[in-house]
Amino acid sequence: MVIQQPNSQIKLTNVSIVRLRKGGKRFELACYKNKVMEWRTNVETDLDEVLQIHSVFMNVSKGQVASKEDLKKCFKTEDTDKVIQEILKKGELQVAEKERTNQLESMWRDIANIVTDNCVNPQTKRPYTVTMIEKAMQDLHLSVNTKRSSKSQALDVIKQLQQKQILPIQRAQMRIRLTLAQSKEAKKLREKLQPLLTSIEDEDSNPEEYELIALVDPGHYRQINELLQSDAKGKGQLEIMNLREKEEGDEKF
């Protein structure tokens, strides 16, 4: 792609365009590929590493730079960096059809892999194969959204599979060990923790301390930890024994 300016031609390679329509006008940025997503996820914070040219364009391919009057009228500011940040945040990343197809296919596989890695059949405790999860995603008529992370979409897939009962599935349980010093507070804390535990595997108690080994849903871990911090007054310990409790081997039809 070539950007033409009054006295020069700037040849851009590996370019991605971010486009935002505002105030009836089109504004564009010339960016490096992959850097836009890194900026949106706070991996990259330096605008000069994201932008090929530190300017706001009306049309990147024709080299038409937006005037200060247009910026003022549409964005209510002449501060170029503020405008650039708004376009990066809200604009649409333009990609070629082939590249978009590859991006969608890659994200589809990522979502399926995340679901496979984090879930089991609750009846057998065995993980599903990626192929089986992809088939279930097709049954959901899932549309991949490139503006959302694979992880958040994987969590949605798990919820939808459970709600629509397409196949029995639950998040693989996390095994934890909880140790508390014996006290009145500890007894009250155990009562608060009980609803957050999927199952208790072992309990041990002596005059000095209480120890519990249990399986919990990973989504409850933060809440358990916060309760421990606030109610145990520094006299408790939470340990993750393993992140995912699974039986060996894949689930098969």
Side-chain angles (χ1 to χ4, degrees):
M1 180 180 292
V2 175
I3 289 184
Q4 295 181 343
Q5 292 183 327
N7 299 316
S8 65
Q9 277 192 341
I10 301 175
K11 187 177 182 181
L12 298 180
T13 58
N14 196 30
V15 67
S16 285
I17 295 172
V18 179
R19 180 180 299 155
L20 178 68
R21 293 187 180 276
K22 187 157 184 170
K25 295 181 181 292
R26 183 178 75 180
F27 298 93
E28 297 182 344
L29 301 175
C31 304
Y32 292 103
K33 288 186 178 179
N34 304 322
K35 286 294 184 179
V36 175
M37 295 309 297
E38 288 184 8
W39 188 87
R40 286 177 172 174
T41 55
N42 297 317
V43 173
E44 179 61 70
T45 57
D46 186 349
L47 286 178
D48 288 331
E49 293 295 320
V50 180
L51 303 171
Q52 294 217 21
I53 296 180
H54 205 107
S55 298
V56 179
F57 293 86
M58 304 297 285
N59 189 308
V60 167
S61 61
K62 294 181 179 179
Q64 296 175 353
V65 178
S67 67
K68 286 189 176 183
E69 289 77 14
D70 284 332
L71 298 184
K72 179 83 172 178
K73 179 181 177 183
C74 298
F75 293 90
K76 311 304 180 188
T77 180
E78 294 180 9
D79 187 327
T80 302
D81 279 359
K82 286 185 178 179
V83 174
I84 287 172
Q85 289 179 31
E86 181 172 343
I87 296 173
L88 280 174
K89 182 180 179 181
K90 300 179 180 178
E92 183 177 349
L93 183 62
Q94 308 296 305
V95 293
E97 189 61 35
K98 183 178 179 181
E99 183 181 347
R100 178 171 174 78
T101 299
N102 291 340
Q103 188 179 11
L104 290 171
E105 288 176 353
S106 176
M107 184 165 273
W108 174 277
R109 287 192 299 271
D110 285 345
I111 294 169
N113 278 312
I114 291 170
V115 175
T116 302
D117 288 344
N118 289 279
C119 293
V120 293
N121 181 328
Q123 298 161 1
T124 64
K125 306 302 181 187
R126 293 181 183 274
Y128 288 104
T129 64
V130 175
T131 302
M132 291 172 72
I133 294 299
E134 287 187 320
K135 172 64 168 60
M137 286 163 59
Q138 290 170 357
D139 292 342
L140 286 174
H141 305 292
L142 180 72
S143 296
V144 172
N145 184 348
T146 56
K147 291 185 179 180
R148 293 180 60 204
S149 70
S150 298
K151 183 177 179 180
S152 67
Q153 292 182 81
L155 291 173
D156 284 349
V157 167
I158 296 167
K159 289 177 184 176
Q160 289 184 53
L161 290 176
Q162 290 171 333
Q163 290 170 356
K164 298 182 179 179
Q165 299 182 341
I166 289 177
L167 79 176
I169 192 169
Q170 72 175 29
R171 292 185 69 178
Q173 300 296 288
M174 174 189 292
R175 180 178 282 111
I176 62 168
R177 177 188 282 118
L178 181 66
T179 307
L180 298 171
Q182 293 284 19
S183 66
K184 290 182 180 179
E185 290 82 5
K187 186 176 180 180
K188 291 178 182 178
L189 177 57
R190 296 207 305 262
E191 292 173 357
K192 289 182 181 179
L193 290 173
Q194 194 70 34
L196 301 175
L197 308 178
T198 303
S199 64
I200 296 174
E201 294 191 333
D202 192 25
E203 282 184 287
D204 186 38
S205 183
N206 60 48
E208 285 78 36
E209 65 179 23
Y210 167 80
E211 183 180 275
L212 167 79
I213 295 176
L215 294 178
V216 301
D217 187 296
H220 290 153
Y221 177 79
R222 179 183 290 181
Q223 192 175 349
I224 292 171
N225 191 44
E226 288 174 351
L227 276 172
L228 186 65
Q229 297 299 322
S230 63
D231 292 23
K233 303 185 186 305
K235 297 180 180 179
Q237 183 177 347
L238 180 61
E239 175 190 351
I240 298 174
M241 299 180 70
N242 63 27
L243 286 171
R244 300 180 186 91
E245 177 62 14
K246 293 181 179 180
E247 296 291 338
E248 292 300 318
D250 291 330
E251 185 69 20
K252 295 180 173 61
F253 283 117

mmCIF file with all atom_site columns, all heavy atoms in Angstrom, residues 226-238:
data_model
loop_
_atom_site.group_PDB
_atom_site.id
_atom_site.type_symbol
_atom_site.label_atom_id
_atom_site.label_alt_id
_atom_site.label_comp_id
_atom_site.label_asym_id
_atom_site.label_entity_id
_atom_site.label_seq_id
_atom_site.pdbx_PDB_ins_code
_atom_site.Cartn_x
_atom_site.Cartn_y
_atom_site.Cartn_z
_atom_site.occupancy
_atom_site.B_iso_or_equiv
_atom_site.pdbx_formal_charge
_atom_site.auth_seq_id
_atom_site.auth_comp_id
_atom_site.auth_asym_id
_atom_site.auth_atom_id
_atom_site.pdbx_PDB_model_num
ATOM 1  N N   . GLU A 1 226 ? -11.008 -14.718 49.385 1.00 0.00 ? 226 GLU A N   1
ATOM 2  C CA  . GLU A 1 226 ? -11.394 -13.440 49.995 1.00 0.00 ? 226 GLU A CA  1
ATOM 3  C C   . GLU A 1 226 ? -12.019 -13.645 51.375 1.00 0.00 ? 226 GLU A C   1
ATOM 4  O O   . GLU A 1 226 ? -11.759 -12.877 52.303 1.00 0.00 ? 226 GLU A O   1
ATOM 5  C CB  . GLU A 1 226 ? -12.367 -12.701 49.068 1.00 0.00 ? 226 GLU A CB  1
ATOM 6  C CG  . GLU A 1 226 ? -11.697 -12.137 47.819 1.00 0.00 ? 226 GLU A CG  1
ATOM 7  C CD  . GLU A 1 226 ? -12.684 -11.532 46.830 1.00 0.00 ? 226 GLU A CD  1
ATOM 8  O OE1 . GLU A 1 226 ? -13.914 -11.712 47.038 1.00 0.00 ? 226 GLU A OE1 1
ATOM 9  O OE2 . GLU A 1 226 ? -12.232 -10.897 45.858 1.00 0.00 ? 226 GLU A OE2 1
ATOM 10 N N   . LEU A 1 227 ? -12.838 -14.691 51.509 1.00 0.00 ? 227 LEU A N   1
ATOM 11 C CA  . LEU A 1 227 ? -13.425 -14.997 52.810 1.00 0.00 ? 227 LEU A CA  1
ATOM 12 C C   . LEU A 1 227 ? -12.339 -15.350 53.828 1.00 0.00 ? 227 LEU A C   1
ATOM 13 O O   . LEU A 1 227 ? -12.390 -14.926 54.982 1.00 0.00 ? 227 LEU A O   1
ATOM 14 C CB  . LEU A 1 227 ? -14.405 -16.170 52.682 1.00 0.00 ? 227 LEU A CB  1
ATOM 15 C CG  . LEU A 1 227 ? -15.829 -15.843 52.247 1.00 0.00 ? 227 LEU A CG  1
ATOM 16 C CD1 . LEU A 1 227 ? -16.613 -17.128 51.988 1.00 0.00 ? 227 LEU A CD1 1
ATOM 17 C CD2 . LEU A 1 227 ? -16.543 -15.005 53.313 1.00 0.00 ? 227 LEU A CD2 1
ATOM 18 N N   . LEU A 1 228 ? -11.358 -16.106 53.363 1.00 0.00 ? 228 LEU A N   1
ATOM 19 C CA  . LEU A 1 228 ? -10.257 -16.498 54.243 1.00 0.00 ? 228 LEU A CA  1
ATOM 20 C C   . LEU A 1 228 ? -9.478  -15.277 54.713 1.00 0.00 ? 228 LEU A C   1
ATOM 21 O O   . LEU A 1 228 ? -9.141  -15.156 55.897 1.00 0.00 ? 228 LEU A O   1
ATOM 22 C CB  . LEU A 1 228 ? -9.328  -17.468 53.500 1.00 0.00 ? 228 LEU A CB  1
ATOM 23 C CG  . LEU A 1 228 ? -8.195  -18.088 54.315 1.00 0.00 ? 228 LEU A CG  1
ATOM 24 C CD1 . LEU A 1 228 ? -8.746  -18.987 55.412 1.00 0.00 ? 228 LEU A CD1 1
ATOM 25 C CD2 . LEU A 1 228 ? -7.249  -18.861 53.416 1.00 0.00 ? 228 LEU A CD2 1
ATOM 26 N N   . GLN A 1 229 ? -9.205  -14.358 53.783 1.00 0.00 ? 229 GLN A N   1
ATOM 27 C CA  . GLN A 1 229 ? -8.440  -13.157 54.121 1.00 0.00 ? 229 GLN A CA  1
ATOM 28 C C   . GLN A 1 229 ? -9.189  -12.262 55.104 1.00 0.00 ? 229 GLN A C   1
ATOM 29 O O   . GLN A 1 229 ? -8.606  -11.697 56.027 1.00 0.00 ? 229 GLN A O   1
ATOM 30 C CB  . GLN A 1 229 ? -8.109  -12.366 52.848 1.00 0.00 ? 229 GLN A CB  1
ATOM 31 C CG  . GLN A 1 229 ? -7.230  -13.096 51.841 1.00 0.00 ? 229 GLN A CG  1
ATOM 32 C CD  . GLN A 1 229 ? -5.878  -13.466 52.405 1.00 0.00 ? 229 GLN A CD  1
ATOM 33 O OE1 . GLN A 1 229 ? -5.288  -12.714 53.154 1.00 0.00 ? 229 GLN A OE1 1
ATOM 34 N NE2 . GLN A 1 229 ? -5.382  -14.632 52.025 1.00 0.00 ? 229 GLN A NE2 1
ATOM 35 N N   . SER A 1 230 ? -10.507 -12.146 54.912 1.00 0.00 ? 230 SER A N   1
ATOM 36 C CA  . SER A 1 230 ? -11.284 -11.205 55.721 1.00 0.00 ? 230 SER A CA  1
ATOM 37 C C   . SER A 1 230 ? -11.712 -11.780 57.074 1.00 0.00 ? 230 SER A C   1
ATOM 38 O O   . SER A 1 230 ? -11.779 -11.066 58.067 1.00 0.00 ? 230 SER A O   1
ATOM 39 C CB  . SER A 1 230 ? -12.524 -10.742 54.948 1.00 0.00 ? 230 SER A CB  1
ATOM 40 O OG  . SER A 1 230 ? -13.383 -11.844 54.682 1.00 0.00 ? 230 SER A OG  1
ATOM 41 N N   . ASP A 1 231 ? -11.981 -13.102 57.120 1.00 0.00 ? 231 ASP A N   1
ATOM 42 C CA  . ASP A 1 231 ? -12.563 -13.686 58.330 1.00 0.00 ? 231 ASP A CA  1
ATOM 43 C C   . ASP A 1 231 ? -11.583 -14.460 59.210 1.00 0.00 ? 231 ASP A C   1
ATOM 44 O O   . ASP A 1 231 ? -11.839 -14.642 60.403 1.00 0.00 ? 231 ASP A O   1
ATOM 45 C CB  . ASP A 1 231 ? -13.726 -14.623 57.966 1.00 0.00 ? 231 ASP A CB  1
ATOM 46 C CG  . ASP A 1 231 ? -14.924 -13.867 57.405 1.00 0.00 ? 231 ASP A CG  1
ATOM 47 O OD1 . ASP A 1 231 ? -14.727 -12.750 56.911 1.00 0.00 ? 231 ASP A OD1 1
ATOM 48 O OD2 . ASP A 1 231 ? -16.040 -14.406 57.467 1.00 0.00 ? 231 ASP A OD2 1
ATOM 49 N N   . ALA A 1 232 ? -10.483 -14.940 58.624 1.00 0.00 ? 232 ALA A N   1
ATOM 50 C CA  . ALA A 1 232 ? -9.562  -15.777 59.402 1.00 0.00 ? 232 ALA A CA  1
ATOM 51 C C   . ALA A 1 232 ? -8.522  -14.955 60.150 1.00 0.00 ? 232 ALA A C   1
ATOM 52 O O   . ALA A 1 232 ? -7.734  -15.504 60.920 1.00 0.00 ? 232 ALA A O   1
ATOM 53 C CB  . ALA A 1 232 ? -8.872  -16.793 58.493 1.00 0.00 ? 232 ALA A CB  1
ATOM 54 N N   . LYS A 1 233 ? -8.488  -13.645 59.871 1.00 0.00 ? 233 LYS A N   1
ATOM 55 C CA  . LYS A 1 233 ? -7.572  -12.724 60.559 1.00 0.00 ? 233 LYS A CA  1
ATOM 56 C C   . LYS A 1 233 ? -6.116  -13.203 60.495 1.00 0.00 ? 233 LYS A C   1
ATOM 57 O O   . LYS A 1 233 ? -5.384  -13.198 61.493 1.00 0.00 ? 233 LYS A O   1
ATOM 58 C CB  . LYS A 1 233 ? -7.998  -12.546 62.022 1.00 0.00 ? 233 LYS A CB  1
ATOM 59 C CG  . LYS A 1 233 ? -9.429  -12.042 62.180 1.00 0.00 ? 233 LYS A CG  1
ATOM 60 C CD  . LYS A 1 233 ? -9.774  -11.766 63.611 1.00 0.00 ? 233 LYS A CD  1
ATOM 61 C CE  . LYS A 1 233 ? -11.239 -11.394 63.795 1.00 0.00 ? 233 LYS A CE  1
ATOM 62 N NZ  . LYS A 1 233 ? -11.689 -10.273 62.982 1.00 0.00 ? 233 LYS A NZ  1
ATOM 63 N N   . GLY A 1 234 ? -5.726  -13.668 59.311 1.00 0.00 ? 234 GLY A N   1
ATOM 64 C CA  . GLY A 1 234 ? -4.334  -14.071 59.101 1.00 0.00 ? 234 GLY A CA  1
ATOM 65 C C   . GLY A 1 234 ? -3.974  -15.417 59.691 1.00 0.00 ? 234 GLY A C   1
ATOM 66 O O   . GLY A 1 234 ? -2.802  -15.815 59.680 1.00 0.00 ? 234 GLY A O   1
ATOM 67 N N   . LYS A 1 235 ? -4.976  -16.152 60.204 1.00 0.00 ? 235 LYS A N   1
ATOM 68 C CA  . LYS A 1 235 ? -4.692  -17.443 60.836 1.00 0.00 ? 235 LYS A CA  1
ATOM 69 C C   . LYS A 1 235 ? -5.196  -18.615 59.992 1.00 0.00 ? 235 LYS A C   1
ATOM 70 O O   . LYS A 1 235 ? -5.561  -19.662 60.515 1.00 0.00 ? 235 LYS A O   1
ATOM 71 C CB  . LYS A 1 235 ? -5.333  -17.488 62.226 1.00 0.00 ? 235 LYS A CB  1
ATOM 72 C CG  . LYS A 1 235 ? -4.766  -16.455 63.192 1.00 0.00 ? 235 LYS A CG  1
ATOM 73 C CD  . LYS A 1 235 ? -5.438  -16.541 64.549 1.00 0.00 ? 235 LYS A CD  1
ATOM 74 C CE  . LYS A 1 235 ? -4.865  -15.492 65.503 1.00 0.00 ? 235 LYS A CE  1
ATOM 75 N NZ  . LYS A 1 235 ? -5.515  -15.523 66.827 1.00 0.00 ? 235 LYS A NZ  1
ATOM 76 N N   . GLY A 1 236 ? -5.211  -18.408 58.693 1.00 0.00 ? 236 GLY A N   1
ATOM 77 C CA  . GLY A 1 236 ? -5.646  -19.469 57.793 1.00 0.00 ? 236 GLY A CA  1
ATOM 78 C C   . GLY A 1 236 ? -4.733  -19.590 56.590 1.00 0.00 ? 236 GLY A C   1
ATOM 79 O O   . GLY A 1 236 ? -3.999  -18.660 56.254 1.00 0.00 ? 236 GLY A O   1
ATOM 80 N N   . GLN A 1 237 ? -4.773  -20.735 55.933 1.00 0.00 ? 237 GLN A N   1
ATOM 81 C CA  . GLN A 1 237 ? -3.935  -20.965 54.754 1.00 0.00 ? 237 GLN A CA  1
ATOM 82 C C   . GLN A 1 237 ? -4.727  -21.730 53.713 1.00 0.00 ? 237 GLN A C   1
ATOM 83 O O   . GLN A 1 237 ? -5.439  -22.691 54.039 1.00 0.00 ? 237 GLN A O   1
ATOM 84 C CB  . GLN A 1 237 ? -2.685  -21.764 55.146 1.00 0.00 ? 237 GLN A CB  1
ATOM 85 C CG  . GLN A 1 237 ? -1.719  -21.991 53.993 1.00 0.00 ? 237 GLN A CG  1
ATOM 86 C CD  . GLN A 1 237 ? -0.466  -22.724 54.441 1.00 0.00 ? 237 GLN A CD  1
ATOM 87 O OE1 . GLN A 1 237 ? -0.205  -22.858 55.640 1.00 0.00 ? 237 GLN A OE1 1
ATOM 88 N NE2 . GLN A 1 237 ? 0.301   -23.218 53.494 1.00 0.00 ? 237 GLN A NE2 1
ATOM 89 N N   . LEU A 1 238 ? -4.636  -21.287 52.468 1.00 0.00 ? 238 LEU A N   1
ATOM 90 C CA  . LEU A 1 238 ? -5.326  -21.929 51.346 1.00 0.00 ? 238 LEU A CA  1
ATOM 91 C C   . LEU A 1 238 ? -4.292  -22.400 50.342 1.00 0.00 ? 238 LEU A C   1
ATOM 92 O O   . LEU A 1 238 ? -3.456  -21.622 49.889 1.00 0.00 ? 238 LEU A O   1
ATOM 93 C CB  . LEU A 1 238 ? -6.296  -20.940 50.693 1.00 0.00 ? 238 LEU A CB  1
ATOM 94 C CG  . LEU A 1 238 ? -7.109  -21.449 49.493 1.00 0.00 ? 238 LEU A CG  1
ATOM 95 C CD1 . LEU A 1 238 ? -7.994  -22.618 49.887 1.00 0.00 ? 238 LEU A CD1 1
ATOM 96 C CD2 . LEU A 1 238 ? -7.950  -20.317 48.905 1.00 0.00 ? 238 LEU A CD2 1
#
